[in-house]
């Protein structure tokens, strides 16, 4: 099995609707409303489906949100570093929802449209700086081997401190966990985010119309 094949995202299952639907706002009890109160809403006034679905487990949600928010808002990594790691993780796990929600964040962090498209090609694609290639390679190694190689750790240590090295591994792990949930629950992207498709997803969908019939 080639390295390229091992990093291809799994083809998404046919869209038959979410297995767990987001909890509609008119069904929120006071405790749920309190849990969701501090989360920024999208431009249309609604909360992202990831939150209104995960809140169906309120005890877990209460502890999950501070950790995820810390990594996303208050972490030691630069915004660009964080989003490159998340996008590559979304690609590796075939997490269309994760990809669609983080492409706009990556753009805001300075990742260009060409770089976003190139994430799917991996760390050895032409055009990456050495520093960016190291980040994508780190995401791949954690996905494949559940550890960073000695070479990648040493390379990252040249421009990241100890706390940032810890955060690289925890960030990729966090977004693997979120991808497992999103993919299994069948969480759908909200209007306005649906155009941000995983690299290769259109081709795989077209292939599926011929091979899965």
């Amino acid at each position: 099995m080639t390295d390229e094949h091992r990093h291809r995202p799994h083809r998404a299952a046919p869209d038959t609707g979410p297995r767990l639907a987001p909890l509609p706002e008119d069904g929120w009890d006071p405790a749920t409303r309190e849990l969701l109160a501090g989360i920024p809403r999208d431009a249309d006034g609604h909360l992202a489906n990831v939150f209104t679905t995960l809140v169906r487990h309120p005890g877990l949600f209460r502890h999950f949100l501070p950790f995820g928010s810390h990594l996303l808002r208050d972490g030691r990594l630069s915004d660009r570093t964080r989003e490159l790691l998340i996008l590559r993780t979304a690609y590796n796990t075939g997490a269309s929802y994760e990809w669609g929600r983080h492409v706009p964040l990556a753009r805001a962090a300075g990742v260009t449209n060409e770089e976003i498209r190139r994430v799917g090609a991996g760390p050895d694609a032409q055009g990456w700086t050495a520093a960016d290639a190291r980040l994508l390679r780190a995401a791949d190694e954690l996905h494949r081997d559940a550890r960073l190689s000695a070479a990648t750790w040493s390379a990252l240590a040249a421009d990241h401190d100890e706390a940032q090295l810890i955060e690289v591994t925890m960030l990729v792990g966090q977004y693997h966990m979120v991808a497992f949930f999103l993919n299994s629950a069948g969480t759908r992207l909200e209007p306005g985010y649906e155009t941000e498709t995983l690299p290769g997803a259109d081709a795989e969908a077209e292939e599926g119309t011929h091979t899965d019939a």
Side-chain angles (χ1 to χ4, degrees):
M1 180 181 295
T2 67
D3 191 62
E4 178 183 2
H5 178 77
R6 283 161 49 156
H7 289 310
R8 288 184 63 194
H10 299 293
R11 184 183 301 150
D15 185 6
T16 57
R19 292 171 174 171
L20 288 176
L23 191 64
E25 189 161 1
D26 60 9
W28 298 356
D29 61 22
T32 299
R33 198 168 295 277
E34 179 185 357
L35 284 172
L36 296 171
I39 301 173
R41 293 176 179 250
D42 289 342
D44 64 2
H46 293 92
L47 288 178
N49 290 337
V50 59
F51 300 119
T52 53
T53 304
L54 189 57
V55 80
R56 289 183 176 278
H57 190 329
L60 186 151
F61 186 92
R62 185 180 299 277
H63 296 283
F64 162 84
L65 191 62
F67 179 68
S69 296
H70 179 84
L71 287 172
L72 188 62
R73 308 294 180 196
D74 301 312
R76 299 284 190 93
L77 300 173
S78 72
D79 292 350
R80 176 186 171 84
T81 292
R82 181 193 69 234
E83 293 305 322
L84 282 174
L85 288 168
I86 293 172
L87 287 183
R88 186 59 179 173
T89 298
Y91 176 82
N92 283 338
T93 56
S96 298
Y97 185 96
E98 198 165 84
W99 178 272
R101 292 293 307 198
H102 278 272
V103 163
L105 296 177
R107 290 195 184 108
V111 184
T112 68
N113 287 333
E114 172 57 33
E115 289 170 331
I116 289 167
R117 287 190 292 269
R118 198 190 308 145
V119 165
D124 296 324
Q126 291 187 348
W128 293 119
T129 65
D132 287 346
R134 284 195 291 271
L135 293 173
L136 270 63
R137 187 165 292 110
D140 285 358
E141 289 179 357
L142 290 167
H143 176 70
R144 183 186 65 233
D145 303 324
R147 71 178 64 198
L148 294 175
S149 67
T152 297
W153 179 274
S154 296
L156 287 172
D159 49 13
H160 294 83
D161 63 25
E162 290 179 350
Q164 290 172 321
L165 288 169
I166 292 170
E167 197 165 305
V168 166
T169 63
M170 298 295 283
L171 179 76
V172 173
Q174 154 81 354
Y175 281 90
H176 270 81
M177 179 176 66
V178 174
F180 297 161
F181 160 66
L182 293 168
N183 290 347
S184 297
T187 306
R188 287 177 165 178
L189 277 165
E190 300 79 10
Y193 293 89
E194 296 167 328
T195 58
E196 307 294 356
T197 58
L198 277 164
D202 292 339
E204 288 203 351
E206 177 65 21
E207 178 186 345
T209 64
H210 298 294
T211 61
D212 297 341

